[in-house]
Amino acid sequence: MSRYTGPVWKKSRRLGYSILETGKELSKRQTIPGQHGDAKPKKKTEYGIQMTEKQKLRFQYGLSEKQFRRFFTIAKADKTQSTGIALLVLLESRLDNLVYRMGFASTRRQARQLVTHGHVTVNGKKVDIPSYIVELGSVISFKETSKNLKVVKEVVDSKPTLKAYVEVDANKLEGKYVRYPDRKELSSDVNEAQVIEYYNRKL
């Protein structure tokens, strides 16, 4: 299954979850899209609940099913912490996600484009792979020729709220990944245990 590139707001309404983490998608209408959107929702099976939780994370981080399954496999091999927490940390450590978390892009989709177009550097070296896992202490910045990008400056000037696990110098368009996120700093509307159960019964 390829990565979803359709309307984010419609997908958020279907899942009943703000993929953009702003709540804007659900502020006007919370019913599912389509002519039967106002109908009473059907009770989900246990499997249906697990799939929904998985889809929330997959669409939030903009991954294909194949990519998401690979991250689960890596997280499951981590013996230092629970699989659910390891999965969330991996997703947060993606380069495109950190560009977004540092306030250099208004959405993860925009951050992904900045990375794939070769504007972003990690520790001074260009990295154009959105799924690149950034190590702690790494410095994320922009190439000198990309530091005047209007789209980036507009986002930075809007002074977005930043997470405590990144440090950002807005003037230099530079940020540092200082620590792994705590679970309480991430969305409480996702039950990662259900995601793990989904894949445990599939694999």
Side-chain angles (χ1 to χ4, degrees):
M1 186 181 295
S2 61
R3 179 169 54 84
Y4 179 74
T5 58
V8 172
W9 285 42
K10 184 177 291 187
K11 184 60 67 175
S12 290
R13 284 173 53 203
R14 183 166 296 281
L15 293 172
Y17 173 73
S18 176
I19 293 173
L20 298 178
E21 298 181 277
T22 62
K24 291 181 179 179
E25 310 102 301
L26 307 176
S27 60
K28 291 185 178 180
R29 294 187 65 186
Q30 297 186 10
T31 55
I32 63 173
Q35 61 178 332
H36 301 298
D38 293 326
K40 186 177 180 180
K42 296 181 181 179
K43 185 177 180 179
K44 291 183 179 179
T45 63
E46 182 181 358
Y47 177 76
I49 293 172
Q50 293 169 356
M51 176 177 279
T52 296
E53 294 302 309
K54 185 264 293 186
Q55 296 292 65
K56 286 180 182 179
L57 278 181
R58 189 167 80 81
F59 289 121
Q60 177 179 322
Y61 289 95
L63 306 181
S64 68
E65 179 61 35
K66 183 177 180 180
Q67 288 175 316
F68 197 87
R69 188 184 291 255
R70 180 172 66 85
F71 276 102
F72 167 77
T73 301
I74 296 172
K76 192 173 183 179
D78 187 340
K79 304 303 180 184
T80 64
Q81 55 192 334
S82 70
T83 301
I85 297 300
L87 176 61
L88 292 177
V89 168
L90 273 172
L91 294 172
E92 283 292 312
S93 299
R94 284 173 54 101
L95 178 56
D96 56 353
N97 179 74
L98 287 173
V99 169
Y100 166 69
R101 291 299 194 194
M102 290 175 178
F104 298 140
S106 58
T107 63
R108 289 185 181 85
R109 187 175 291 186
Q110 187 182 74
R112 191 177 302 113
Q113 289 180 331
L114 289 172
V115 175
T116 56
H117 291 171
H119 297 299
V120 177
T121 66
V122 178
N123 296 326
K125 296 181 179 180
K126 186 185 80 171
V127 179
D128 57 6
I129 304 171
S131 62
Y132 177 85
I133 300 300
V134 180
E135 296 182 354
L136 290 184
S138 295
V139 175
I140 296 173
S141 187
F142 288 82
K143 295 191 309 181
E144 286 300 322
T145 54
S146 301
K147 287 190 174 182
N148 290 320
L149 286 172
K150 182 181 178 182
V151 65
V152 176
K153 286 188 172 293
E154 286 177 348
V155 178
V156 172
D157 290 343
S158 70
K159 293 181 171 46
T161 302
L162 305 180
K163 295 292 186 179
Y165 45 89
V166 297
E167 292 179 352
V168 176
D169 186 329
N171 293 322
K172 292 182 178 180
L173 289 185
E174 182 176 286
K176 187 175 182 180
Y177 189 22
V178 294
R179 65 170 174 81
Y180 293 130
D182 293 330
R183 178 62 185 91
K184 62 184 179 182
E185 294 175 296
L186 305 177
S187 176
S188 60
D189 293 328
V190 170
N191 186 337
E192 67 274 13
Q194 294 282 14
V195 180
I196 305 309
E197 285 300 317
Y198 172 85
Y199 280 112
N200 281 338
R201 67 190 294 175
K202 295 280 285 185
L203 299 179

